[in-house]
Amino acid sequence: SGLAASTVGALSVTNGELVMTVATPPSITGAATATAFTTTYGTASTPQSFSVSGSNLTANLVATAPTGFEVSADGTTYGTTATFTQSSGSASGTLQIRLKADATVSGSYNSQNIVLSSTGATSVNITTASTGNAVSKATPSLSITSANSATAGGSVALTASSPAASGAVSASTGAITYSSSDTGVVSISSTTANAVAAGTAMITATQAADSNYNQAQATQSFTVNALSGTITPSTPIVTGK
């Protein structure tokens, strides 16, 4: 008579025979090489799409981005990782990859690996192009924010605004200097405009370039008003006797 079947780990005994059942290991598909990613500081690059999948999985399929990049499993929410949920051992979807808006100009983006991983499976890489991945400098939206007029003999403390580029973490750190188109009307002393004489001059603010931003300039018309109540001497009239 045959023996009842019983299972011990990956081994089973059936009708007196020892049978070893070998489970198929989990695997990931999706290795690829991306074309070059390019963007300007403060703006995320155009995303590239890649089909990824896993079979015989025991855990979710996760894509992990290297520094300066971000990934998404739905094309809407981006982050350092993107997760494709496995069901009955399978997971699949479209992975979106892009350079982050705050990826710095000086970063290294060539030959970087976006790693596809899952517990127990051999990781697979989507690799960025070996050349051409780059972030260009942005140009600040510089504007002069101080008063644009003064009375002769007075002065104005000059100020300017240079906000961060949309999506960027930091604004330009470049020093801002000022100049006047007519020092006979308004002269500049560091960050102070000195009203010299009645008239109009152009004030120019120049912000130096830094590691993520180009040089920028802004101009503002500055009016110097004459002192109120100023008396202009008249020519005396001399009458004969």
Side-chain angles (χ1 to χ4, degrees):
S1 62
L3 298 174
S6 63
T7 301
V8 180
L11 299 176
S12 63
V13 178
T14 304
N15 295 326
E17 294 183 351
L18 184 63
V19 178
M20 176 177 288
T21 303
V22 179
T24 303
S27 63
I28 298 171
T29 302
T33 300
T35 57
F37 292 88
T38 59
T39 191
T40 299
Y41 184 67
T43 302
S45 71
T46 299
Q48 295 184 39
S49 302
F50 300 88
S51 295
V52 299
S53 62
S55 58
N56 303 304
L57 301 178
T58 59
N60 294 334
L61 174 60
V62 178
T64 303
T67 300
F69 289 88
E70 57 189 358
V71 289
S72 174
D74 60 9
T76 300
T77 303
Y78 283 83
T80 303
T81 61
T83 300
F84 298 86
T85 303
Q86 69 90 14
S87 176
S88 300
S90 296
S92 63
T94 300
L95 177 66
Q96 303 275 345
I97 304 171
R98 69 185 186 184
L99 277 167
K100 297 171 64 176
D102 62 353
T104 60
V105 172
S106 61
S108 178
Y109 308 116
N110 296 329
S111 300
Q112 300 296 302
N113 290 326
I114 295 85
V115 180
L116 306 177
S117 63
S118 183
T119 302
T122 300
S123 295
V124 166
N125 296 328
I126 297 173
T127 305
T128 64
S130 59
T131 60
N133 298 279
V135 177
S136 301
K137 288 186 176 184
T139 299
S141 299
L142 183 67
S143 62
I144 299 174
T145 55
S146 47
N148 63 356
S149 65
T151 300
S155 64
V156 168
L158 295 170
T159 57
S161 172
S162 179
S166 176
V169 171
S170 59
S172 175
T173 59
I176 300 175
T177 57
Y178 300 90
S179 62
S180 169
S181 64
D182 188 343
T183 56
V185 173
V186 55
S187 64
I188 305 297
S189 176
S190 184
T191 57
T192 300
N194 301 300
V196 178
T200 301
M202 295 299 297
I203 302 295
T204 298
T206 301
Q207 185 168 31
D210 72 358
S211 59
N212 292 314
Y213 288 89
N214 294 311
Q215 175 181 290
Q217 285 191 327
T219 59
Q220 181 187 72
S221 178
F222 192 95
T223 300
V224 177
N225 301 307
L227 287 169
S228 59
T230 299
I231 299 174
T232 302
S234 58
T235 302
I237 299 175
V238 178
T239 56
K241 292 181 180 179

